[in-house]
Amino acid sequence: MGFSAADWRVPAMVAVDDDAVAALLWERFGVRGTARDLGSQQDRNYRVRTESGGDHVLKMANPVTDPATLRAQVTAAEHLATADPTLRLPRARAGADGDFVQRITVGGVALHCRLFDYVPGEPIMDSRYLAPRVVARLGELAGRTTASLAGLGMPDTDRPRLWDLRNAADVVEALAPFMTDTARAGHVVREARAAQARLRSLEARLPVQVIHGDLTDNNVVCEPGPDGRPMPVGVIDFGDLGQGWAVAELAVACASVLHHHGATPASVLPAVRAFHAVRPLAGPEADALWPLVVLRTAVLVVSGQYDVLQDPGNEYAETALDREWAMFEAAVSVPAEVMAAQLRAAVGHFAPPGPPTAAHPLLPDLVGGVETLDLSVSSTALHEGRWLDADAEDALAARALECNRTAVRTRHGEYRLTRSRPGEPDAATLALGTELRVAAPTALRAPWAGSLVRHCPDGVTLRTEDGWTLVLDGIDTGADAGGGAEQEGDGAATATTTGARAVPAGAPLGTVVPRSDGSAAHLQLARLADRPAPRTVPPDLADGWLAVCPDPATLFEPAVPAARTESGTAAASLLERRDRSFAAVQEHYFDAPPRIERGWREHLVDTEGRCYLDMLNNVTILGHGHPGLSEAVHQQWQRLNTNSRFHYESVVSLSERLAGLLPDGLDTVFLVNSGSEAVDLALRLAWAAAGRQDVVAVGEAYHGWTYASDAVSTSVADNPGALASRPDWVHVLPAPNSYRGSHRGPDAERYGPSAAESIRELARSGRPPAAFICEPYYGNAGGMALPDGYLRQVYEATRAAGGLCVADEVQVGYGRLGSHFWGFEQQGVVPDIVTVAKAMGNGHPLGAVITSKEIADTYRSQGYFFSSAGGSPVSSVVGLTVLDALRDEGLQENARIVGGHLRDRLLELAGRHPLIGAVHGTGLYLGVEFVRDRRTLEPAAEETAAICERLRELGVVVQPTSDRLCVLKIKPPLCLTRESADRFAAALDDTLTHGW
């Protein structure tokens, strides 16, 4: 069409003083109040607070705006209010003369204004992180608005509209020359032209209707959800209402997501799916969506720069420049072809057709089978951290080639463990090509006719007429392989047509040759217009990348093994299978959990190669994949595994080692399979020794799921009915919580005497306890130390009543506290019975009860004791190996040093983030408690759950604990490094700073 800058020029608004605004409100609308300028790029908007308490928004339109358009905006809002009553919308108030649009004159300029009822809620005005569910709600509102406005008519306007994306290319061409940064201007123009070119074949098939036109993050109003996230509930500012492509509404919403913290093109997918669920997208609309996003961001950039030039004092426009450029950069960071395929997949449309069928084999002389390397997360060749070696792929390929003697290739579409890295949750793990290594020189032939060019000294590109390219790198190109080459700044090769020559199918392309340095030839198919495809990419846009970069191995192998996860075993499908066959009461972490199939030290890796820092797993105290433990189990299982009624050395050695770690008198060991069994057995021993059943426990505690261990578990987080369902032989003391209990801070010393007196009163009532059980470091409450002297006073009262004292060390023992191996040592007491599990087996089912021989012998009054697997040869070797590793690797000392450093980091965060109420714990048994108010200590439970979800996105696994579920449970493997501790603190800081 062609327009000039003058067509888009909007005159600067005249200044309107406060007195004039007040007079206008009273004279035209009968409203008295104060007005605050809200800012606008082209208009004047005011928040009005009235003397009667009502709130309004006064909107003064730019003089170029037709009054009929303003009335149409009022009509559209009323139409939406009728069609979708749940939407919060700006409802206009008629003036004294009954008209919604009032004409005034300021400084000789005619202005038109309207008064709207204020819509409660807040827009998303900053660039904080937007959670997927918030993005989805934005897309849903765009879909609901588009669907509801579909039947509405609107008068035409003679003036072309700046924000109508049908005009976007013209706007960019007209305004880009006014940008002061010519390099940026050129970039914007090139991308806008490319986007417009992609739209040309689609325009006639895109439905046109009335749309809001500016449904963005700051044109919705939000209510904070229980978790503090801003959830859009209404739509405001109909100033860009008009005819337009229906899909443009979604494009505008998606573009507004891209400036938010951490946003990438993949961040818009929840909005696209939510829009599609309300107002389905046709195939052409899905294809047009990303070019429209690019055009929207391009218009934002050029118009923002132009507005600042035309209206230098407009702070609103100036402050938007950086975020507008961020949106544009994000929009063009991924090839349009990739986004088109990804968006089609997101809404269930078929992918575009693949490359042409090969007319000639690519490697016709390849004799014998080609061995395929397994570089996936489940590869058996990458244990013991070998996947982190820089030469892991070359080393595996070399060994395979020695055995195969023909050829070895990697798999296309495979999420490679070898490309996963700790601290990089978005690492490029998805392979978009195939590497090939051969034992003897092997010729490459053109699979189809095309244009051949040498893009680098050891690489050629074969391009078909319909845009498909076969890129071959790391080969001997020979003398006749085609024309010259260009190199991009980052070293990636790009094809140039200089010297390109046409070749028929079967023409020689070069030779794959053995390389002394172990490097491989790289084969890649792609269909990208303006850039080369990377060799690997992050998983978030896998569907899009794989659609434009299909498997090149199909050109030389008739049957190619599937590399991507097979149907039914992807994370979501596997979760559905789990829900059908695995009892739902056995819960899982996270709403949409990643599928974790590998661990190494303090790291977990999912099937897409994403690496997570495990700050939760107190079971694997040595860390995941411990080589010594794996080898010890392997060797013992090959020799013998039976039960402890047989006579063998390891069960004796383990029992001796455990007794040797405890004070004198605790010399007799029972071996079981779990902490629940250990606590259950400890209580049965106490009952047998005391000849009665009453037990004293403390509030907010969890001890297990067997009958006895569950009976003394008082945590309402684990069992909401815990306190009401305790049997009458369980007596619960108040939780000795020094942060939020009845006695806080220095007053916490009162818990001990009070608890001791309760036990004495119980004895006086004729029900002396057989046992008192407690974690010696208050784990389930969030890793909190018991008040000084608490256990000493309670143990004395219990023993005076003839009872036994049970220390549940299942979570806190085995060196986790750093300063002490056992939690009870921190209190300066010696229990009568100690229970241990979890860490004892590093994930193997192993637990123990350690007590005196005298107490152990009393169990015979209950019959005999036997555990089929407790103390088996394999379990005993596991227990011994864990103790060896704890000692030899200095893990208790590591817990003290790294835990102290992490605690300092967390305390520093608490000084900057008011949501952190307290940092509990010591060593690597820590808790960060979140509160909404540091005075009232209102628990921030919903926020804690949302923070855990955001941390998972940032590559950290952590979960809530405590009865209020407002404490981050920080119990990582004891091999945690200082670097990993810093990584966790940085991720938490990022989350608390930029949102969750």
Side-chain angles (χ1 to χ4, degrees):
M1 184 182 298
F3 294 95
S4 68
D7 293 300
W8 313 115
R9 183 174 295 132
V10 175
M13 280 289 285
V14 295
V16 184
D17 61 40
D18 293 345
D19 290 341
V21 172
L24 165 67
L25 288 169
W26 174 244
E27 293 171 4
R28 298 302 181 91
F29 297 102
V31 171
R32 292 190 186 277
T34 58
R36 176 173 60 86
D37 193 341
L38 295 175
S40 174
Q41 282 189 302
Q42 298 170 351
D43 302 321
R44 285 285 183 268
N45 298 323
Y46 299 88
R47 171 80 177 270
V48 178
R49 295 187 179 276
T50 66
E51 295 174 354
S52 61
D55 284 0
H56 306 282
V57 173
L58 177 67
K59 299 178 74 69
M60 293 186 181
N62 194 281
V64 300
T65 306
D66 182 5
T69 299
L70 300 179
R71 293 186 177 89
Q73 294 168 10
V74 172
T75 301
E78 293 301 315
H79 177 85
L80 267 180
T82 301
D84 195 340
T86 61
L87 271 182
R88 295 184 188 178
L89 296 162
R91 311 293 290 273
R93 290 172 61 101
D97 60 0
D99 195 350
F100 290 108
V101 178
Q102 297 294 310
R103 185 178 186 277
I104 61 172
T105 301
V106 179
V109 177
L111 299 177
H112 294 88
C113 59
R114 293 161 298 165
L115 186 68
F116 294 90
D117 290 337
Y118 176 74
V119 182
E122 294 294 331
I124 305 170
M125 291 298 294
D126 56 28
S127 293
R128 285 165 59 86
Y129 163 81
L130 292 185
R133 66 183 60 182
V134 178
V135 175
R137 180 66 70 84
L138 182 64
E140 177 197 330
L141 284 190
R144 288 163 58 184
T145 302
T146 303
S148 296
L149 291 176
L152 183 68
M154 184 172 178
D156 291 330
T157 176
D158 294 333
R159 180 181 177 82
R161 290 184 299 113
L162 177 72
W163 301 110
D164 183 349
L165 291 185
R166 294 175 297 178
N167 300 325
D170 292 321
V171 174
V172 172
E173 295 287 348
L175 300 186
F178 293 89
M179 292 179 65
T180 55
D181 188 326
T182 56
R184 283 191 171 187
H187 187 25
V188 171
V189 169
R190 286 192 300 273
E191 294 291 350
R193 287 173 179 172
Q196 185 63 31
R198 296 185 67 84
L199 280 176
R200 287 195 186 102
S201 63
L202 302 169
E203 290 177 338
R205 293 177 286 166
L206 300 180
V208 175
Q209 64 167 79
V210 172
I211 60 173
H212 178 280
D214 198 21
L215 207 154
T216 65
D217 52 346
N218 61 3
N219 278 336
V220 295
V221 292
C222 303
E223 282 290 331
D227 56 11
R229 288 168 170 158
M231 297 305 294
V233 293
V235 179
I236 58 174
D237 195 352
F238 284 69
D240 294 312
L241 185 85
Q243 295 285 337
W245 289 317
V247 68
E249 194 78 271
L250 176 58
V252 168
C254 288
S256 75
V257 171
L258 295 178
H259 71 91
H260 285 274
H261 180 72
T264 68
S267 301
V268 310
L269 295 176
V272 175
R273 296 187 187 101
F275 183 100
H276 180 70
V278 177
R279 193 277 185 191
L281 292 165
E285 290 180 302
D287 290 337
L289 177 56
W290 205 252
L292 289 172
V293 170
V294 171
L295 286 168
R296 166 71 177 188
T297 62
V299 170
L300 285 168
V301 169
V302 298
S303 66
Q305 294 277 354
Y306 186 70
D307 286 344
V308 169
L309 288 175
Q310 297 297 311
D311 189 7
N314 190 332
E315 289 186 22
Y316 184 92
E318 288 180 0
T319 57
L321 294 180
D322 286 343
R323 70 170 180 261
E324 288 163 352
W325 184 253
M327 291 184 225
F328 173 75
E329 284 193 308
V332 300
S333 64
V334 175
E337 299 92 336
V338 173
M339 288 307 299
Q342 185 71 41
L343 293 168
R344 274 183 163 268
V347 298
H349 292 304
F350 291 113
T357 303
H360 192 281
L362 178 65
L363 294 158
D365 300 331
L366 195 61
V367 178
V370 178
E371 182 169 343
T372 301
L373 287 184
D374 183 2
L375 302 176
S376 71
V377 172
S378 58
S379 172
T380 58
L382 295 172
H383 296 326
E384 300 184 11
R386 285 191 288 270
W387 53 281
L388 292 169
D389 295 343
D391 65 344
E393 295 180 7
D394 290 343
L396 287 180
R399 286 197 294 271
L401 196 58
E402 287 177 5
C403 299
N404 180 270
R405 304 304 301 166
T406 300
V408 174
R409 74 170 184 89
T410 59
R411 291 191 289 189
H412 165 274
E414 180 176 63
Y415 296 108
R416 292 188 186 175
L417 178 62
T418 48
R419 302 303 174 96
S420 179
R421 287 294 178 269
E424 299 179 23
D426 298 318
T429 60
L430 177 63
L432 297 182
T434 294
E435 282 106 29
L436 181 67
R437 294 168 175 87
V438 295
T442 305
L444 291 153
R445 300 282 178 169
W448 343 270
S451 175
L452 182 66
V453 63
R454 181 188 290 141
H455 61 251
C456 67
D458 63 350
V460 297
T461 299
L462 178 66
R463 183 180 296 275
T464 67
E465 290 184 356
D466 58 353
W468 283 99
T469 60
L470 173 62
V471 181
L472 306 172
D473 282 303
I475 65 171
D476 182 352
T477 60
D480 301 318
E486 295 176 351
Q487 291 283 37
E488 287 189 341
D490 63 359
T494 64
T496 171
T497 57
T498 304
R501 62 188 178 89
V503 296
L509 302 178
T511 306
V512 183
V513 296
R515 300 269 183 174
S516 59
D517 62 359
S519 61
H522 187 267
L523 290 61
Q524 187 173 54
L525 274 173
R527 192 177 192 178
L528 295 174
D530 61 352
R531 68 187 86 179
R535 295 188 178 186
T536 57
V537 293
D540 55 359
L541 296 175
D543 288 326
W545 279 110
L546 292 175
V548 300
C549 295
D551 192 352
T554 57
L555 302 177
F556 63 88
E557 283 192 317
V560 181
R564 299 189 75 201
T565 307
E566 296 176 4
S567 176
T569 57
S573 298
L574 187 65
L575 189 61
E576 293 175 1
R577 289 170 52 199
R578 173 182 170 130
D579 290 343
R580 288 195 298 268
S581 60
F582 192 64
V585 72
Q586 302 170 94
E587 297 176 350
H588 53 76
Y589 297 133
F590 304 113
D591 293 336
R595 181 181 165 191
I596 303 295
E597 295 287 359
R598 183 175 289 271
W600 174 244
R601 293 180 61 82
E602 68 266 41
H603 306 290
L604 298 167
V605 188
D606 72 14
T607 48
E608 294 184 341
R610 289 187 176 94
C611 197
Y612 302 88
L613 176 60
D614 181 3
M615 296 300 294
L616 174 67
N617 220 318
N618 63 331
V619 175
T620 48
I621 196 167
L622 306 183
H624 302 282
H626 192 278
L629 183 57
S630 174
E631 178 62 19
V633 170
H634 174 66
Q635 293 297 333
Q636 182 58 51
W637 215 297
Q638 291 185 106
R639 286 194 299 269
L640 173 71
N641 196 32
T642 182
N643 66 72
S644 61
R645 286 182 170 176
F646 288 90
H647 186 44
Y648 48 88
E649 187 271 340
S650 59
V651 72
V652 177
S653 294
L654 178 58
S655 299
E656 291 173 341
R657 289 280 295 278
L658 286 172
L661 290 167
L662 287 155
D664 292 343
L666 295 172
D667 53 14
T668 304
V669 176
F670 294 82
L671 292 173
V672 292
N673 302 318
S674 69
S676 294
E677 291 182 28
V679 170
D680 194 287
L681 176 57
L683 294 175
R684 292 177 188 275
L685 283 168
W687 295 338
R692 54 186 182 272
Q693 193 175 26
D694 288 85
V695 174
V696 175
V698 297
E700 297 187 41
Y702 175 78
H703 296 287
W705 60 267
T706 65
Y707 172 73
S709 61
D710 176 68
V712 295
S713 294
T714 54
S715 169
V716 297
D718 297 291
N719 175 8
L723 297 178
S725 61
R726 296 310 85 201
D728 63 1
W729 51 267
V730 175
H731 309 276
V732 181
L733 298 174
N737 190 320
S738 58
Y739 177 66
R740 59 164 63 251
S742 55
H743 307 304
R744 302 178 182 181
D747 286 345
E749 64 182 18
R750 297 166 62 184
Y751 281 115
S754 176
E757 179 56 30
S758 295
I759 291 171
R760 288 190 287 268
E761 178 59 32
L762 192 62
R764 287 193 293 268
S765 70
R767 302 193 69 172
F772 166 78
I773 185 168
C774 179
E775 285 185 295
Y777 205 89
Y778 210 24
N780 212 61
M784 193 178 302
L786 295 175
D788 290 344
Y790 181 82
L791 285 187
R792 177 181 55 77
Q793 296 167 85
V794 176
Y795 277 20
E796 288 174 357
T798 300
R799 286 167 175 155
L804 301 180
C805 301
V806 180
D808 183 353
E809 296 275 356
V810 168
Q811 293 199 80
V812 304
Y814 260 55
R816 179 164 290 281
L817 299 180
S819 57
H820 301 87
F821 191 84
W822 301 107
F824 64 77
E825 294 173 324
Q826 188 258 351
Q827 284 277 310
V829 297
V830 177
D832 301 300
I833 303 173
V834 174
T835 63
V836 62
K838 292 188 185 297
M840 185 180 175
N842 201 59
H844 182 84
L846 180 59
V849 177
I850 308 100
T851 186
S852 67
K853 181 174 177 55
E854 179 184 3
I855 293 172
D857 287 345
T858 64
Y859 193 84
R860 290 196 177 274
S861 66
Q862 309 295 307
Y864 72 92
F865 174 80
F866 174 68
S867 175
S868 295
S872 71
V874 167
S875 294
S876 297
V877 164
V878 167
L880 287 165
T881 306
V882 169
L883 289 174
D884 288 343
L886 281 171
R887 177 198 62 208
D888 298 344
E889 297 171 21
L891 295 183
Q892 181 180 344
E893 178 67 359
N894 190 68
R896 185 185 70 80
I897 294 172
V898 175
H901 172 70
L902 177 56
R903 180 179 169 82
D904 288 343
R905 291 293 312 273
L906 296 173
L907 287 170
E908 188 275 328
L909 294 184
R912 293 190 286 109
H913 298 293
L915 193 70
I916 299 179
V919 176
H920 307 303
T922 188
L924 287 175
Y925 202 94
L926 301 171
V928 176
E929 184 150 359
F930 294 124
V931 295
R932 292 170 180 161
D933 185 308
R934 287 184 174 179
R935 183 181 57 83
T936 66
L937 304 187
E938 180 185 359
E942 290 82 5
E943 292 90 334
T944 305
I947 287 168
C948 290
E949 289 285 349
R950 175 57 178 157
L951 286 171
R952 179 187 60 77
E953 294 175 2
L954 293 175
V956 176
V957 173
V958 68
Q959 284 288 293
T961 190
S962 88
D963 272 14
R964 289 152 293 280
L965 294 176
C966 65
V967 182
L968 288 186
K969 177 166 43 178
I970 303 170
K971 301 182 294 184
L974 298 195
C975 60
L976 186 81
T977 63
R978 185 185 180 100
E979 179 186 20
S980 290
D982 286 338
R983 191 175 298 140
F984 168 65
L988 182 57
D989 187 22
D990 182 283
T991 301
L992 296 177
T993 300
H994 299 289
W996 53 86

